[in-house]
Amino acid sequence: MKAPISSYLDTILDEVRYQDAGSNADYIPELANKDPNSLGAAMCTTSGHIYSAGDAEVEFSIQSISKPFIYAMAVQEHGIDVVSEIVGMEPSGEAFNELSLDREGHRPVNPMINAGAIAVTQLIGGTGATVEDRIEMIRAFLSEMACRQLRVDYDLCDSELQYADRNLSLAHMLRNYDIIQDDAHDAVVSYTAQCSVMVTTRDLAFMSAVLANGGVHPLNGKRVLEPDVCRLTLAVMSSAGMYDQAGRWMAHVGIPAKSGVSGGLLGTLPGQLGFASYSPRLNEYGNSVRGVRIFKLLSKDMGLHLMAADDRAGVDAVRSIVTYQEDTVVTLQGMINFNSAESILYELSQHEISGDHVIFDMTRVSGIRRMGRFLLKEGMHLLEEKGFRISIVDPDDHVPDYRTVDGTEIHVNEQESAPFATEREDDRYHDDDCPDPDEGPQPPAWEG
Ligand code: GLN
């Protein structure tokens, strides 16, 4: 039986297959001669599960889809302050090859347009690096993201270089304003080789999933990028990745994305998945016609719009609050972030707690964020100040210490709470096993 998600991807491809609007980029034969009917899609979740459909294994040049990755690479190597000296992060709303620099620093406005990308590429490896060094570092980095050895198509690269007058003029302009130090021709060669790295739609889905997963490769668990670098890259992608279509893209699709002139389109849902499509015919903005359609369908069908609040409500952080004689058990669940910690504190403030002992059962908590932990400890501290004894069942060590922000140590009892622990394995994912909230769990045996 075909996995439902792969079948869904097949359905999406069938829905857009008939569309034949737009045309291949034709400024070089290698792009003009690509089969315009090729159509592929692939998705990789942050758990490393991959689903693909259609021509997901056909190779094409990565082109501008390399830009966010090389930006991330440069920020990781030099830090955002150095990178910000040569490129901004404002949307330009202009075409990808626009000659636009900001007024004050004469920096390209963002790294997703060619001027910005050329400036960023020459940071790779530092000023001492040769063109060959840079190209190899870029190829190796993109290979690490794709989890296979990628190659540069030098024939395609040579072909591109014969039509690179506009990019050369951008590089000369950047040199004129001291944004790049490389010889203008060298800068364009490095950038063009970067665009000539060959990938498949599956590769792009993996690469995108690394960004979605905060820089840890979902396939091998290796940290490739720092989480704040991924966040920054995705933020820039969301405002500038689709060139002069960027505003409408965020409104209608709402997935940070990057397109390339060969027809690839990559989108990233932070914390969820990486998605990519391939179809070479482009619209007037240089974005794949069927790719844009695929992303619209995906966003709508799967509720993937970043700004949609409807699917984000998640589970209630407080599963139950049950009192037995002197003991009140507060069972927490899911991810404790700011929002859920706030709801825990609110629920506690609304609850008339009788007895003198509050037990926090965190067996069902799947993770905790810094702010969530901070607020939870403050809540425990408040209860302690009101005269309650605090116990915690925390098998995954979500709260490793009990110090509050002002240095006070909460006197948390770990032993006394053990009999209240939720049964883990079997109990965890079976809702039918959940205690009826009206009945509440049975008093622990040791109470007699
Ligand atoms: N190699 C192309 C260029 O720099 C890439 C542009 C793109 O994919 N939008 O002109």
Side-chain angles (χ1 to χ4, degrees):
M1 190 186 87
K2 200 153 189 187
I5 297 177
S6 304
S7 309
Y8 168 69
L9 293 183
D10 283 336
T11 315
I12 287 202
L13 294 193
D14 287 343
E15 267 188 58
V16 303
R17 204 176 296 278
Y18 74 93
Q19 294 204 339
D20 60 1
S23 46
N24 285 21
D26 58 2
Y27 65 96
I28 51 169
E30 285 80 357
L31 293 179
N33 297 338
K34 278 277 185 184
D35 178 1
N37 295 316
S38 277
L39 182 63
M43 174 189 285
C44 179
T45 65
T46 48
S47 338
H49 306 149
I50 180 99
Y51 304 93
S52 58
D55 304 319
E57 310 270 6
V58 168
E59 275 199 329
F60 52 94
S61 47
I62 188 168
Q63 301 288 356
S64 285
I65 301 176
S66 61
K67 290 170 180 169
F69 294 105
I70 306 313
Y71 180 64
M73 195 182 174
V75 175
Q76 177 113 327
E77 184 181 340
H78 299 280
I80 185 60
D81 291 346
V82 170
V83 176
S84 293
E85 280 170 23
I86 60 135
V87 68
M89 47 176 84
E90 296 302 329
S92 67
E94 288 171 337
F96 68 94
N97 54 4
E98 201 50 50
L99 290 146
S100 57
L101 302 181
D102 69 17
R103 294 242 169 99
E104 302 97 59
H106 298 111
R107 298 170 311 170
V109 286
N110 69 61
M112 302 297 148
I113 54 171
N114 286 14
I118 293 169
V120 167
T121 301
Q122 66 97 55
L123 285 178
I124 303 302
T127 40
T130 63
V131 171
E132 289 72 27
D133 293 341
R134 280 206 182 108
I135 295 173
E136 177 48 24
M137 288 171 82
I138 288 170
R139 188 206 63 79
F141 175 73
L142 294 175
S143 301
E144 212 176 349
M145 302 284 284
C147 236
R148 76 174 180 103
Q149 287 306 314
L150 304 177
R151 68 182 174 91
V152 176
D153 182 336
Y154 281 102
D155 290 337
L156 183 139
C157 184
D158 285 346
S159 216
E160 290 257 4
L161 286 170
Q162 289 176 35
Y163 296 90
D165 291 332
R166 195 169 175 106
N167 284 339
L168 275 167
S169 64
L170 291 174
H172 280 292
M173 185 174 69
L174 293 171
R175 225 177 111 84
N176 174 58
Y177 287 117
D178 265 346
I179 298 290
I180 65 170
Q181 273 68 51
D182 280 20
D183 169 80
H185 181 263
D186 283 356
V188 172
V189 171
S190 312
Y191 164 75
T192 308
Q194 161 191 324
C195 291
S196 309
V197 170
M198 299 301 284
V199 289
T200 66
T201 315
R202 269 172 79 92
D203 293 332
L204 291 181
F206 284 138
M207 295 165 77
S208 176
V210 180
L211 292 179
N213 202 30
V216 173
H217 205 297
L219 285 194
N220 57 21
K222 208 168 141 196
R223 175 160 295 288
V224 190
L225 289 168
E226 291 305 317
D228 50 350
V229 174
C230 292
R231 192 177 60 214
L232 184 74
T233 305
L234 288 173
V236 176
M237 252 164 80
S238 70
S239 63
M242 298 298 281
Y243 310 122
D244 27 1
Q245 211 178 3
R248 260 160 300 163
W249 178 266
M250 268 325 266
H252 298 304
V253 180
I255 300 176
K258 189 70 205 78
S259 63
V261 75
S262 50
L265 190 46
L266 168 147
T268 310
L269 251 294
Q272 296 191 58
L273 52 90
F275 188 85
S277 64
Y278 172 61
S279 167
R281 281 191 288 254
L282 308 179
N283 64 19
E284 71 262 45
Y285 306 105
N287 299 324
S288 164
V289 175
R290 296 193 293 192
V292 169
R293 184 82 199 120
I294 288 171
F295 269 75
K296 279 187 181 162
L297 287 170
L298 187 81
S299 165
K300 190 162 137 268
D301 290 355
M302 296 180 65
L304 294 181
H305 197 299
L306 208 59
M307 305 301 167
D310 40 352
D311 285 345
R312 307 260 186 282
V315 291
D316 289 335
V318 177
R319 188 181 173 94
S320 60
I321 302 182
V322 184
T323 302
Y324 295 104
Q325 296 162 10
E326 298 306 304
D327 306 298
T328 296
V329 184
V330 182
T331 304
L332 306 180
Q333 62 185 1
M335 170 61 76
I336 313 287
N337 55 16
F338 167 79
N339 223 249
S340 38
E342 183 279 332
S343 75
I344 295 167
L345 299 191
Y346 181 82
E347 292 270 338
L348 284 172
S349 73
Q350 299 296 300
H351 200 90
E352 197 77 45
I353 305 177
S354 54
D356 67 348
H357 185 200
V358 180
I359 300 121
F360 288 90
D361 180 0
M362 300 189 60
T363 315
R364 293 172 187 271
V365 169
S366 54
I368 190 159
R369 297 261 180 260
R370 199 161 55 95
M371 196 61 184
R373 188 180 295 117
F374 161 77
L375 285 177
L376 189 62
K377 287 202 279 189
E378 291 302 308
M380 291 177 180
H381 185 35
L382 265 176
L383 286 170
E384 191 175 44
E385 282 188 338
K386 285 188 184 161
F388 293 100
R389 280 182 297 125
I390 308 292
S391 295
I392 188 166
V393 185
D394 185 15
D396 292 324
D397 225 11
H398 292 302
V399 186
D401 69 76
Y402 306 117
R403 255 185 323 280
T404 60
V405 75
D406 65 4
T408 321
E409 189 81 32
I410 321 163
H411 300 97
V412 173
N413 184 338
E414 294 186 29
Q415 247 91 70
E416 203 183 337
S417 52
F420 290 96
T422 320
E423 261 189 64
R424 289 189 89 200
E425 300 308 338
D426 304 338
D427 193 22
R428 207 165 194 179
Y429 299 107
H430 300 296
D431 265 342
D432 357 333
D433 298 346
C434 292
D436 183 332
D438 297 332
E439 284 173 20
Q442 294 306 301
W446 57 270
E447 283 221 331

Short mmCIF file of all heavy atoms in Angstrom, two decimals, residues 246-283:
data_model
loop_
_atom_site.label_atom_id
_atom_site.label_comp_id
_atom_site.label_asym_id
_atom_site.label_seq_id
_atom_site.Cartn_x
_atom_site.Cartn_y
_atom_site.Cartn_z
N ALA A 246 7.21 38.33 -3.41
CA ALA A 246 7.37 37.93 -2.00
C ALA A 246 6.16 38.28 -1.11
O ALA A 246 5.75 37.47 -0.28
CB ALA A 246 8.64 38.53 -1.42
N GLY A 247 5.59 39.47 -1.26
CA GLY A 247 4.47 39.88 -0.41
C GLY A 247 3.26 39.01 -0.63
O GLY A 247 2.67 38.47 0.31
N ARG A 248 2.90 38.84 -1.91
CA ARG A 248 1.74 38.00 -2.24
C ARG A 248 1.97 36.56 -1.80
O ARG A 248 1.08 35.86 -1.37
CB ARG A 248 1.49 38.02 -3.75
CG ARG A 248 0.38 38.96 -4.15
CD ARG A 248 0.49 39.31 -5.60
NE ARG A 248 1.78 39.94 -5.86
CZ ARG A 248 2.30 40.07 -7.08
NH1 ARG A 248 1.68 39.57 -8.11
NH2 ARG A 248 3.45 40.70 -7.24
N TRP A 249 3.23 36.13 -1.95
CA TRP A 249 3.58 34.75 -1.57
C TRP A 249 3.28 34.53 -0.08
O TRP A 249 2.65 33.55 0.30
CB TRP A 249 5.05 34.50 -1.87
CG TRP A 249 5.52 33.14 -1.47
CD1 TRP A 249 6.11 32.79 -0.31
CD2 TRP A 249 5.38 31.93 -2.22
NE1 TRP A 249 6.37 31.44 -0.28
CE2 TRP A 249 5.93 30.89 -1.45
CE3 TRP A 249 4.85 31.63 -3.48
CZ2 TRP A 249 5.97 29.58 -1.89
CZ3 TRP A 249 4.90 30.32 -3.92
CH2 TRP A 249 5.45 29.31 -3.13
N MET A 250 3.75 35.44 0.75
CA MET A 250 3.54 35.26 2.19
C MET A 250 2.04 35.34 2.52
O MET A 250 1.55 34.66 3.41
CB MET A 250 4.33 36.29 3.01
CG MET A 250 5.71 35.82 3.43
SD MET A 250 5.89 34.06 3.82
CE MET A 250 5.64 34.05 5.57
N ALA A 251 1.32 36.19 1.80
CA ALA A 251 -0.12 36.32 2.07
C ALA A 251 -0.87 35.03 1.67
O ALA A 251 -1.68 34.53 2.44
CB ALA A 251 -0.69 37.51 1.31
N HIS A 252 -0.56 34.49 0.51
CA HIS A 252 -1.37 33.38 0.00
C HIS A 252 -0.82 32.00 0.34
O HIS A 252 -1.57 31.04 0.43
CB HIS A 252 -1.54 33.49 -1.52
CG HIS A 252 -2.26 34.73 -1.92
ND1 HIS A 252 -3.51 35.04 -1.43
CD2 HIS A 252 -1.91 35.76 -2.72
CE1 HIS A 252 -3.91 36.20 -1.92
NE2 HIS A 252 -2.95 36.66 -2.71
N VAL A 253 0.49 31.91 0.47
CA VAL A 253 1.10 30.60 0.75
C VAL A 253 1.61 30.54 2.19
O VAL A 253 1.37 29.58 2.92
CB VAL A 253 2.25 30.29 -0.24
CG1 VAL A 253 2.87 28.94 0.05
CG2 VAL A 253 1.73 30.33 -1.68
N GLY A 254 2.31 31.57 2.62
CA GLY A 254 2.75 31.67 4.01
C GLY A 254 3.80 30.65 4.42
O GLY A 254 3.84 30.22 5.56
N ILE A 255 4.65 30.26 3.47
CA ILE A 255 5.75 29.34 3.77
C ILE A 255 7.05 30.01 3.32
O ILE A 255 7.17 30.34 2.14
CB ILE A 255 5.57 27.99 3.01
CG1 ILE A 255 4.25 27.32 3.41
CG2 ILE A 255 6.75 27.07 3.25
CD1 ILE A 255 3.94 26.03 2.64
N PRO A 256 8.01 30.22 4.22
CA PRO A 256 9.28 30.79 3.77
C PRO A 256 9.84 29.94 2.64
O PRO A 256 9.89 28.71 2.76
CB PRO A 256 10.18 30.70 5.02
CG PRO A 256 9.24 30.61 6.17
CD PRO A 256 8.02 29.92 5.66
N ALA A 257 10.22 30.59 1.54
CA ALA A 257 10.56 29.80 0.36
C ALA A 257 11.66 30.46 -0.46
O ALA A 257 11.95 31.64 -0.29
CB ALA A 257 9.31 29.63 -0.52
N LYS A 258 12.25 29.67 -1.35
CA LYS A 258 13.24 30.20 -2.28
C LYS A 258 13.08 29.51 -3.62
O LYS A 258 12.99 28.28 -3.68
CB LYS A 258 14.66 29.94 -1.73
CG LYS A 258 15.73 30.63 -2.52
CD LYS A 258 15.67 32.13 -2.31
CE LYS A 258 16.26 32.89 -3.48
NZ LYS A 258 15.37 32.98 -4.64
N SER A 259 13.07 30.32 -4.66
CA SER A 259 12.92 29.74 -5.99
C SER A 259 14.23 29.86 -6.76
O SER A 259 15.11 30.63 -6.39
CB SER A 259 11.82 30.49 -6.75
OG SER A 259 12.24 31.83 -6.91
N GLY A 260 14.33 29.10 -7.84
CA GLY A 260 15.51 29.17 -8.70
C GLY A 260 15.09 29.17 -10.15
O GLY A 260 14.01 28.65 -10.49
N VAL A 261 15.95 29.70 -11.00
CA VAL A 261 15.60 29.90 -12.40
C VAL A 261 15.50 28.57 -13.17
O VAL A 261 14.94 28.51 -14.26
CB VAL A 261 16.64 30.89 -13.03
CG1 VAL A 261 17.98 30.19 -13.27
CG2 VAL A 261 16.13 31.58 -14.24
N SER A 262 16.01 27.49 -12.58
CA SER A 262 15.89 26.20 -13.26
C SER A 262 14.52 25.55 -13.00
O SER A 262 14.20 24.53 -13.58
CB SER A 262 17.00 25.25 -12.80
OG SER A 262 17.05 25.24 -11.40
N GLY A 263 13.74 26.14 -12.11
CA GLY A 263 12.37 25.63 -11.87
C GLY A 263 12.19 24.97 -10.53
O GLY A 263 11.12 24.47 -10.21
N GLY A 264 13.24 24.96 -9.72
CA GLY A 264 13.12 24.40 -8.36
C GLY A 264 12.45 25.41 -7.44
O GLY A 264 12.52 26.62 -7.67
N LEU A 265 11.80 24.90 -6.43
CA LEU A 265 11.18 25.76 -5.42
C LEU A 265 11.30 25.01 -4.09
O LEU A 265 10.97 23.82 -4.01
CB LEU A 265 9.72 26.00 -5.81
CG LEU A 265 8.88 27.03 -5.06
CD1 LEU A 265 9.63 28.33 -4.89
CD2 LEU A 265 7.60 27.31 -5.86
N LEU A 266 11.80 25.71 -3.09
CA LEU A 266 12.02 25.07 -1.79
C LEU A 266 11.28 25.86 -0.73
O LEU A 266 11.30 27.09 -0.73
CB LEU A 266 13.54 25.06 -1.53
CG LEU A 266 14.07 24.72 -0.14
CD1 LEU A 266 15.41 23.99 -0.30
CD2 LEU A 266 14.30 25.96 0.70
N GLY A 267 10.59 25.16 0.16
CA GLY A 267 9.87 25.85 1.23
C GLY A 267 10.16 25.17 2.55
O GLY A 267 10.42 23.96 2.60
N THR A 268 10.15 25.96 3.63
CA THR A 268 10.51 25.41 4.94
C THR A 268 9.48 25.80 5.98
O THR A 268 9.16 26.97 6.12
CB THR A 268 11.88 25.97 5.39
OG1 THR A 268 12.81 25.80 4.33
CG2 THR A 268 12.38 25.24 6.62
N LEU A 269 8.95 24.83 6.67
CA LEU A 269 8.04 25.07 7.79
C LEU A 269 8.82 24.83 9.07
O LEU A 269 9.07 23.67 9.41
CB LEU A 269 6.85 24.11 7.71
CG LEU A 269 5.50 24.69 7.34
CD1 LEU A 269 5.02 25.63 8.42
CD2 LEU A 269 5.56 25.41 6.02
N PRO A 270 9.24 25.89 9.78
CA PRO A 270 10.08 25.70 10.95
C PRO A 270 9.46 24.71 11.94
O PRO A 270 8.27 24.80 12.25
CB PRO A 270 10.16 27.10 11.57
CG PRO A 270 9.59 28.04 10.57
CD PRO A 270 8.87 27.28 9.54
N GLY A 271 10.26 23.78 12.39
CA GLY A 271 9.79 22.79 13.37
C GLY A 271 8.96 21.68 12.76
O GLY A 271 8.62 20.72 13.46
N GLN A 272 8.64 21.76 11.49
CA GLN A 272 7.77 20.74 10.89
C GLN A 272 8.41 19.99 9.73
O GLN A 272 8.65 18.80 9.82
CB GLN A 272 6.46 21.37 10.42
CG GLN A 272 5.63 21.95 11.53
CD GLN A 272 4.24 22.30 11.03
OE1 GLN A 272 3.52 21.47 10.52
NE2 GLN A 272 3.88 23.57 11.15
N LEU A 273 8.70 20.71 8.66
CA LEU A 273 9.14 19.97 7.47
C LEU A 273 9.80 20.85 6.43
O LEU A 273 9.67 22.08 6.45
CB LEU A 273 7.94 19.26 6.83
CG LEU A 273 6.71 20.09 6.50
CD1 LEU A 273 6.78 20.66 5.09
CD2 LEU A 273 5.48 19.21 6.61
N GLY A 274 10.51 20.18 5.54
CA GLY A 274 11.05 20.84 4.35
C GLY A 274 10.30 20.29 3.15
O GLY A 274 9.97 19.10 3.10
N PHE A 275 10.03 21.16 2.17
CA PHE A 275 9.28 20.73 1.00
C PHE A 275 9.97 21.29 -0.24
O PHE A 275 10.55 22.37 -0.19
CB PHE A 275 7.84 21.25 1.07
CG PHE A 275 6.96 20.69 0.00
CD1 PHE A 275 6.34 19.46 0.19
CD2 PHE A 275 6.78 21.37 -1.19
CE1 PHE A 275 5.55 18.91 -0.82
CE2 PHE A 275 5.99 20.82 -2.20
CZ PHE A 275 5.37 19.60 -2.00
N ALA A 276 9.93 20.56 -1.34
CA ALA A 276 10.51 21.09 -2.58
C ALA A 276 9.74 20.59 -3.79
O ALA A 276 9.10 19.52 -3.73
CB ALA A 276 11.97 20.66 -2.69
N SER A 277 9.76 21.41 -4.83
CA SER A 277 9.12 20.97 -6.07
C SER A 277 10.03 21.34 -7.23
O SER A 277 10.93 22.18 -7.10
CB SER A 277 7.75 21.64 -6.23
OG SER A 277 7.92 23.03 -6.37
N TYR A 278 9.77 20.69 -8.36
CA TYR A 278 10.55 20.99 -9.56
C TYR A 278 9.63 20.96 -10.77
O TYR A 278 8.90 19.98 -11.01
CB TYR A 278 11.66 19.95 -9.75
CG TYR A 278 12.39 20.08 -11.06
CD1 TYR A 278 13.07 21.25 -11.38
CD2 TYR A 278 12.39 19.04 -12.00
CE1 TYR A 278 13.73 21.39 -12.60
CE2 TYR A 278 13.05 19.17 -13.21
CZ TYR A 278 13.72 20.34 -13.51
OH TYR A 278 14.36 20.48 -14.71
N SER A 279 9.63 22.06 -11.50
CA SER A 279 8.91 22.16 -12.76
C SER A 279 9.50 23.37 -13.47
O SER A 279 9.43 24.48 -12.93
CB SER A 279 7.40 22.34 -12.49
OG SER A 279 6.77 22.73 -13.67
N PRO A 280 10.14 23.18 -14.64
CA PRO A 280 10.99 24.25 -15.20
C PRO A 280 10.29 25.48 -15.77
O PRO A 280 10.93 26.50 -15.94
CB PRO A 280 11.75 23.53 -16.32
CG PRO A 280 11.56 22.09 -16.11
CD PRO A 280 10.27 21.92 -15.37
N ARG A 281 8.99 25.39 -16.10
CA ARG A 281 8.38 26.57 -16.73
C ARG A 281 8.16 27.68 -15.70
O ARG A 281 7.56 27.43 -14.65
CB ARG A 281 7.08 26.19 -17.43
CG ARG A 281 7.31 25.53 -18.78
CD ARG A 281 6.03 25.41 -19.56
NE ARG A 281 5.20 24.37 -18.95
CZ ARG A 281 5.00 23.16 -19.47
NH1 ARG A 281 5.58 22.83 -20.62
NH2 ARG A 281 4.24 22.30 -18.86
N LEU A 282 8.62 28.89 -16.04
CA LEU A 282 8.62 30.00 -15.07
C LEU A 282 7.56 31.05 -15.41
O LEU A 282 7.20 31.23 -16.57
CB LEU A 282 9.99 30.70 -15.09
CG LEU A 282 11.23 29.82 -14.92
CD1 LEU A 282 12.48 30.70 -14.99
CD2 LEU A 282 11.18 29.05 -13.60
N ASN A 283 7.11 31.76 -14.39
CA ASN A 283 6.22 32.91 -14.61
C ASN A 283 7.05 34.18 -14.82
O ASN A 283 8.28 34.13 -14.85
CB ASN A 283 5.21 33.06 -13.46
CG ASN A 283 5.87 33.36 -12.11
OD1 ASN A 283 7.03 33.81 -12.07
ND2 ASN A 283 5.16 33.12 -11.03
#
